[in-house]
Structure formats: C-alpha cells, structure tokens
C-alpha cells in the first residue's frame, strides 16, 4: 500500500521528470564546445555568435507567439538583458574566440567551473551566507584550473585560457540571473524573451558581418552552426529550464557537473582530439570541488 502511494505521488513523478529534462539539457549543452570548435574553423567568431543568436531568436519569437505568452513586466527587462548578455552574447562569443586558440577538449576543463560560478553569483544575488567550507572548495577548484592552465603554458594559449575564464564568469551570471527570473517569468520563457530582447541587435550585426561568399564553407561547419543555433541556444534551454522548474534549481543544477564528462567524450569521439590523463584528472578534481562547494552553499 505504501509502495503504491509512492508510485502515485505526483510530486515524486514531477521531480523525476525534472531530472530527465535536466539531463537532456546537459547532454545538449555538452555538444556546444565541440560544435563551436568545428564551426569557428570556417566562420568568423563574431558572425557565428550573432548568426546563432539570430536564428534562435526568430524561433523564440515563433514560440512566444504560438503560446501567446504575456510580455515581461517592466522590472523584469533589466534581468532579461543580463541573461542575454551572459548566455546569448557573452558566453557564445568568448568561447568562439577562445576556440581559435585551444581545443574543445582543453576548454571543457574550464566548463567544470561553471556550476561554481553559477553558485557564487547565486550567493551574491540571493544574499545567502554559505559555510566556510564552501569558500574552501571554491578556492581549491579555482587553483586547480589556474594550475592546469599554467602547466599547459608551452602548448596551450594564455589568451584562450583567459577567454574561457571570462566566458565561465559571464555565463555563471547569466545562469544565476535566469534561474532567479524563471521563478516568476517561467522556465523556457526566460531564454525566449532574452533571445527576443537581443534579436534586433543580433539580426543587424548578422547582416553587417555577412561574408561575401559561403562557397568554401563545408557541410560539417553548416551542421555545427545549426547545432549551436537550434540546440545550444534554444532547445537545450527549453529542457534545462523545464527541468529546473520541475525538480528544483539546486537539485537539478547538480547535473551540470556531468557536462565536462560528456564534452570530453564528444571531443574524443567526434573530433578525435587527444584527452590526456592529466586533463581528465583535473576535470574530475574540479568536479569534486564544485560538488563540495554546492553541498556547503547553505
């Protein structure tokens, strides 16, 4: 009888759906850096950034019109602009620039800091008082990443590493602001409205940065542009924010810790990039530090 009641528990069922949707979102996001790496070899990084935002913005406009969503309140516009600057413009542009200097496998190590950056901005924005152990894990994780970047100085690019660190910071801010905003505006609506807010500027820049010819662009580059436009920029966020809404931001947010593993696997299998034991070890260590920081964040 007790077992039957658990199986019929709507709250438990909704939480399970949240984890499934969140996991789908993380898997989709894991392909972003490998796809960007392929696309940036043949597309200008700025054009790639504005084109993917324009394509996703047009689709977001269609979704908002189809579901007849209410316009955001005036006080929600500034947070939406912050989300747009973080995840629509900042992270895609900075990673596209970084991937001109480093491999996607190298850059994925830095993505291990993304949950930590999100948590830090969540603390700053939410006024929470984390336990001292939180800051211990935070500093340790940061030192691991910095140490890895320094150790790779002869073969990797300091410019690429700096761009990746900046990308993580702005994306963490965008995630935290979006998570806070989704409580009142709705899950997938946040990314759609953020895309729509930035659409006029992104569409104008896409036209301005339009290459004279696409004749030399290969099929893999086109497919990569399609992936980062449709999946990384929009569809992934639909699953991700739906998962956060159903299963809880703090709980489902833990799934971000799996992203470096998925990303390294994709970089190795699809792009045939070398994933060293040291790179894998640092990724695991960073993930453990982030997990510890999240555990003591309250």
């Amino acid at each position: 009888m007790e077992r039957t009641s658990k199986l019929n528990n709507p709250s438990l069922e909704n939480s399970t759906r949240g984890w499934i949707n969140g996991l789908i979102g993380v898997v989709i996001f894991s392909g972003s850096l490998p796809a960007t790496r392929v696309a940036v070899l043949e597309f200008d990084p700025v054009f790639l950034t504005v084109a993917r935002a324009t394509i996703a913005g047009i689709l977001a406009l269609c979704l908002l019109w189809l579901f007849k969503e209410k316009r955001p309140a005036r006080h929600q516009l500034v947070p939406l602009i912050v989300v747009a600057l973080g995840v629509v413009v900042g992270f895609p542009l900075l990673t596209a620039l970084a991937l001109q200097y480093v491999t996607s496998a190298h850059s994925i190590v830095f993505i291990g800091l993304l949950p930590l950056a999100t948590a830090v901005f969540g603390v700053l924005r939410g006024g929470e008082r984390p336990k001292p152990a939180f800051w211990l894990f935070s500093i340790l994780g940061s030192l691991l990443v910095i140490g890895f970047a320094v150790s790779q100085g002869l073969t990797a690019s300091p410019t690429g590493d700096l761009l990746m660190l900046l990308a993580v910071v702005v994306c963490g801010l965008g995630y935290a602001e979006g998570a806070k905003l989704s409580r009142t505006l709705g899950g997938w609506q946040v990314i759609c409205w953020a895309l729509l807010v930035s659409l006029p500027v992104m569409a104008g820049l896409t036209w301005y940065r339009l290459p004279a010819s696409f004749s030399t662009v290969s099929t893999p580059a086109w497919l990569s542009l399609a992936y980062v436009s449709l999946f990384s920029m929009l569809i992934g966020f639909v699953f991700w924010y739906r998962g956060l809404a159903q299963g809880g931001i703090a709980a489902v947010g833990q799934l971000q810790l799996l992203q470096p593993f998925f990303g390294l696997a994709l970089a190795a299998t699809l792009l045939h990039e070398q994933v060293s034991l040291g790179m894998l070890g640092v990724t695991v260590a960073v993930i453990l530090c982030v997990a510890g920081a999240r555990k003591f964040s309250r």
Side-chain angles (χ1 to χ4, degrees):
M1 192 75 177
E2 183 180 353
R3 182 180 179 182
T4 304
S5 63
K6 287 183 179 180
L7 292 174
N8 295 330
N9 188 336
S11 177
L12 181 61
E13 184 179 353
N14 198 47
S15 177
T16 301
R17 289 175 181 169
W19 281 90
I20 293 174
N21 284 318
L23 181 60
I24 294 173
V26 168
V27 171
I28 290 173
F29 291 149
S30 299
S32 298
L33 291 179
T36 302
R37 172 66 174 174
V38 173
V40 81
L41 294 175
E42 301 183 40
F43 288 111
D44 172 70
V46 176
F47 173 77
L48 177 64
T49 300
V50 296
R52 65 188 279 186
T54 299
I55 295 170
I58 293 173
L59 291 175
L61 175 61
C62 295
L63 284 173
L64 292 170
W65 175 81
L66 181 64
F67 291 100
K68 296 179 173 58
E69 291 294 321
K70 293 176 60 178
R71 293 182 181 181
R74 183 173 297 180
H75 71 274
Q76 294 174 323
L77 292 180
V78 172
L80 278 173
I81 292 174
V82 173
V83 174
L85 290 175
V87 303
V88 177
V89 181
F91 184 77
L93 178 59
L94 290 169
T95 52
L97 292 171
L99 287 168
Q100 290 185 309
Y101 301 95
V102 298
T103 66
S104 62
H106 181 91
S107 65
I108 285 167
V109 175
F110 292 87
I111 299 302
L113 284 176
L114 185 52
L116 178 57
T118 306
V120 169
F121 279 111
V123 167
L124 294 175
R125 292 289 295 149
E128 299 177 358
R129 296 179 180 273
K131 299 177 181 179
F134 170 84
W135 300 113
L136 176 63
F137 281 109
S138 300
I139 294 172
L140 180 58
S142 300
L143 290 176
L144 282 170
V145 173
I146 294 171
F148 172 78
V150 171
S151 69
Q152 299 294 306
L154 296 177
T155 57
S157 166
T159 301
D161 291 342
L162 178 60
L163 288 168
M164 281 305 306
L165 284 173
L166 291 174
V168 167
V169 171
V170 298
C171 190
L173 175 59
Y175 274 177
E177 198 68 34
K180 180 181 178 182
L181 191 58
S182 67
R183 297 169 185 167
T184 55
L185 189 58
W188 62 270
Q189 293 91 335
V190 170
I191 188 59
C192 284
W193 284 114
L195 286 165
L196 190 59
V197 165
S198 59
L199 181 57
V201 175
M202 295 295 101
L205 289 175
T206 299
W207 179 261
Y208 179 75
R209 301 287 301 196
L210 199 66
S213 173
F214 291 104
S215 59
T216 60
V217 179
S218 65
T219 299
W222 282 116
L223 291 175
S224 297
L225 173 59
Y227 186 91
V228 296
S229 302
L230 301 178
F231 291 92
S232 304
M233 200 85 266
L234 180 60
I235 297 175
F237 278 101
V238 172
F239 284 103
W240 180 241
Y241 280 126
R242 181 183 297 170
L244 292 176
Q246 292 175 329
I249 294 174
V252 177
Q254 299 287 333
L255 290 170
Q256 289 185 91
L257 304 179
L258 299 175
Q259 187 169 333
F261 286 114
F262 292 136
L264 287 174
L266 288 171
T269 56
L270 298 181
L271 303 182
H272 307 291
E273 294 182 355
Q274 183 178 0
V275 179
S276 65
L277 289 177
M279 189 182 298
L280 185 60
V282 170
T283 303
V284 173
V286 168
I287 287 174
L288 291 175
C289 288
V290 175
R294 296 285 289 186
K295 180 179 179 181
F296 294 103
S297 61
R298 293 183 179 180

